[in-house]
């Protein structure tokens, strides 16, 4: 079982690596920084911080409905302080008080799914991805559901593996889902799936399927420091979630930033294009270095530690080169590296080349 652990900060690594240029490639953050339009909205809001924010997120949910269109209304959205806050909100809304609630996760996956559920006393049932390909078992997932299961978590593209699945897989999962179970479809990396068509989960919302989509402003929009995210679901499910929200759950700066970021299509295109190009380049470099990795449609790549090493060894070795990566959740021999801009990626590949040469000599 993997425990969610907070990674080191840039300051922590700088203290250990001296004058090297530090590249933080461990948290899937946007290497371009925040959307310029979001920064402008934040700056405008600063002079108003002596006022409480609006009690509801209605302006933001209206902006989200306008952004997506397709017949969605503001009532199909609710916001939170990032995906983790929304996960916590979902569990509060869907768990039955006094009963033995359980959730299902598909490891290797985001560690917070299990962490928040356990804090509420729920049982965590694991239905693992394929250990070789990290493909989801869409047909067999329902076999792990019990009468006490409230939520099933799936992530597409998946964190930490970058793997992904299509419309038929989502349809199979939904069609086999009992009425008492809600599917949590974590799609926070969906912007980066530029070379694969992800399922149309919004159509499932419009069809009033028992599904909640999770999105975030932390990744493509570069607002990780504000902890902003939102859920998309049927009006009935959103109403349930709203009942468990706190007054002033979103601050005024976050809501202004979210609304502005949605309008910055030029910035979003630049971020996605860089990610696609650099992801392809990194794959090519991995091939040349003989590093085993998994195809990704996210803004990170999962690879296996070379020469029989452990993930933690690679993490520590790369820090000495000024590169920060993360051991993949649930996978002691796999590393997750975020895709940066060209200079960061080149420094990472150069470091990996030197590490492989060194460890090959040690093992010969």
């Amino acid at each position: 079982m993997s425990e969610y652990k907070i990674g080191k900060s840039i300051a922590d690594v700088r203290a250990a690596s001296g004058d090297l240029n530090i590249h933080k490639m461990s948290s899937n953050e946007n290497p371009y920084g925040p959307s310029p339009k979001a920064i402008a909205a934040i700056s405008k809001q600063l002079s108003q911080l002596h006022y409480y924010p609006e009690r509801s997120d209605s302006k933001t949910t209206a902006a989200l409905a306008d952004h997506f269109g397709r017949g969605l209304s503001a009532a199909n959205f609710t916001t939170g302080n990032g995906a983790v806050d929304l996960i916590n909100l979902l569990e509060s809304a869907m768990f039955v008080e006094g009963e033995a609630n359980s959730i299902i996760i598909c490891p290797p996956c985001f560690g917070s799914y299990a962490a928040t559920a356990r804090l509420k006393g729920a049982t965590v049932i694991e239905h693992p991805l394929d250990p070789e390909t990290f493909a989801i078992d869409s047909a067999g997932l329902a076999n792990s559901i019990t009468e006490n299961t409230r939520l099933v978590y799936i992530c597409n593209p998946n964190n930490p593996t970058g793997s992904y699945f299509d419309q038929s897989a989502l349809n199979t999962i939904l069609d086999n889902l009992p009425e008492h179970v809600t599917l949590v479809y974590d799609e926070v990396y969906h912007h980066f799936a530029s070379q694969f068509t992800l399922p149309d989960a919004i159509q499932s919302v419009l069809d009033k399927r028992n599904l909640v989509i999770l999105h975030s402003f932390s990744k493509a929009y570069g607002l990780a420091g504000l902890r902003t995210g939102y859920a998309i679901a049927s009006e009935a499910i959103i109403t349930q979630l709203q009942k468990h929200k706190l007054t002033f759950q979103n601050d005024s700066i976050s809501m202004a930033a979210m609304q502005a970021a949605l309008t910055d299509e030029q910035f979003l295109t630049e971020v996605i294009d860089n990610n696609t190009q650099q992801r392809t380049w990194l794959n090519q470099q991995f091939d040349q270095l003989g590093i085993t990795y998994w195809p990704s449609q996210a803004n990170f790549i999962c690879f296996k530690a070379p020469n029989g090493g452990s993930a933690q060894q690679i993490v520590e070795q790369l820090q000495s080169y000024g590169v920060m990566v993360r051991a993949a959740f649930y996978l002691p021999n796999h590393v997750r590296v975020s895709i940066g801009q060209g200079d960061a990626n080149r420094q990472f590949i150069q470091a990996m080349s030197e590490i492989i040469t060194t460890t090959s000599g040690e093992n010969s």
Side-chain angles (χ1 to χ4, degrees):
M1 181 65 210
S2 178
E3 179 183 353
Y4 184 76
K5 296 179 181 178
I6 298 173
K8 288 186 177 182
S9 68
I10 293 176
D12 293 333
V13 175
R14 181 170 285 121
S17 59
D19 296 330
L20 286 173
N21 189 20
I22 308 298
H23 291 291
K24 189 167 183 277
M25 306 172 74
S26 53
S27 299
N28 303 338
E29 295 150 334
N30 191 328
Y32 280 82
S35 152
K37 289 188 177 181
I39 292 175
I42 290 168
S43 299
K44 185 177 180 180
Q45 195 66 38
L46 292 177
S47 63
Q48 305 297 311
L49 291 184
H50 56 299
Y51 296 121
Y52 284 105
E54 295 185 12
R55 288 182 176 271
S56 78
D57 59 359
S58 59
K59 288 185 179 178
T60 305
T61 56
L64 286 163
D66 183 64
H67 175 75
F68 281 96
R70 298 190 58 184
L72 292 170
S73 72
N76 291 118
F77 298 87
T78 193
T79 60
N81 296 316
V84 175
D85 181 41
L86 291 164
I87 290 167
N88 183 61
L89 188 65
L90 274 162
E91 291 166 349
S92 296
M94 302 302 177
F95 286 178
V96 180
E97 188 174 353
E99 294 191 10
N101 301 289
S102 70
I103 68 166
I104 293 174
I105 62 173
C106 300
C109 59
F110 185 39
S112 286
Y113 302 151
T116 57
R118 286 201 172 98
L119 285 174
K120 296 179 179 67
T123 299
V124 177
I125 300 169
E126 296 186 2
H127 193 93
L129 303 179
D130 184 281
E132 298 297 327
T133 64
F134 299 132
I136 194 166
D137 179 18
S138 56
L141 186 56
N143 296 330
S144 293
I145 294 173
T146 73
E147 61 181 10
N148 294 318
T149 301
R150 310 300 173 199
L151 299 168
V152 172
Y153 289 92
I154 58 176
C155 187
N156 192 31
N158 184 60
N159 179 18
T161 62
S163 50
Y164 43 94
F165 56 85
D166 61 13
Q167 185 70 55
S168 63
L170 179 61
N171 290 345
T172 298
I173 294 168
L174 284 169
D175 290 345
N176 291 318
L177 209 66
E179 290 185 5
H180 69 279
V181 178
T182 299
L183 182 68
V184 184
Y185 182 69
D186 184 347
E187 202 182 41
V188 301
Y189 295 100
H190 74 283
H191 288 108
F192 302 107
S194 55
Q195 298 162 306
F196 180 80
T197 301
L198 294 176
D200 183 3
I202 286 178
Q203 185 58 53
S204 296
V205 169
L206 295 170
D207 292 339
K208 295 182 170 52
R209 303 297 298 268
N210 208 6
L211 166 105
V212 178
I213 305 169
L214 298 183
H215 282 183
S216 172
F217 284 88
S218 296
K219 312 304 178 185
Y221 291 112
L223 295 173
L226 290 184
R227 309 304 302 122
T228 53
Y230 57 98
I232 313 172
S234 68
E235 294 183 18
I237 292 177
I238 294 296
T239 297
Q240 284 182 270
L241 299 181
Q242 295 278 23
K243 291 177 181 177
H244 292 267
K245 291 187 73 170
L246 302 173
T247 303
F248 303 131
Q249 185 143 356
N250 291 103
D251 63 83
S252 54
I253 288 180
S254 296
M255 288 192 286
M258 284 190 280
Q259 292 167 38
L262 286 172
T263 69
D264 203 342
E265 295 182 6
Q266 180 179 345
F267 173 78
L268 189 63
T269 298
E270 184 179 358
V271 168
I272 294 170
D273 287 349
N274 172 78
N275 190 79
T276 301
Q277 294 162 10
Q278 293 297 320
R279 186 172 61 204
T280 300
W281 184 83
L282 283 170
N283 289 343
Q284 293 168 347
Q285 302 308 305
F286 282 150
D287 287 336
Q288 291 180 18
L289 291 173
I291 295 174
T292 300
Y293 66 95
W294 281 261
S296 171
Q297 284 298 296
N299 67 338
F300 58 85
I301 299 173
C302 180
F303 67 94
K304 193 169 185 178
N307 298 325
S310 71
Q312 192 56 40
Q313 286 174 329
I314 294 296
V315 169
E316 293 172 359
Q317 288 169 328
L318 283 171
Q319 285 176 4
S320 67
Y321 289 88
V323 177
M324 301 169 63
V325 297
R326 178 168 195 142
F329 308 115
Y330 297 84
L331 297 168
N333 298 314
H334 295 65
V335 180
R336 189 191 71 187
V337 58
S338 306
I339 298 166
Q341 296 190 56
D343 57 342
N345 296 331
R346 287 189 293 271
Q347 187 166 323
F348 161 68
I349 288 297
Q350 180 60 37
M352 285 301 302
S353 177
E354 293 183 22
I355 288 169
I356 289 171
T357 299
T358 301
T359 54
S360 295
E362 292 172 354
N363 295 335
S364 61

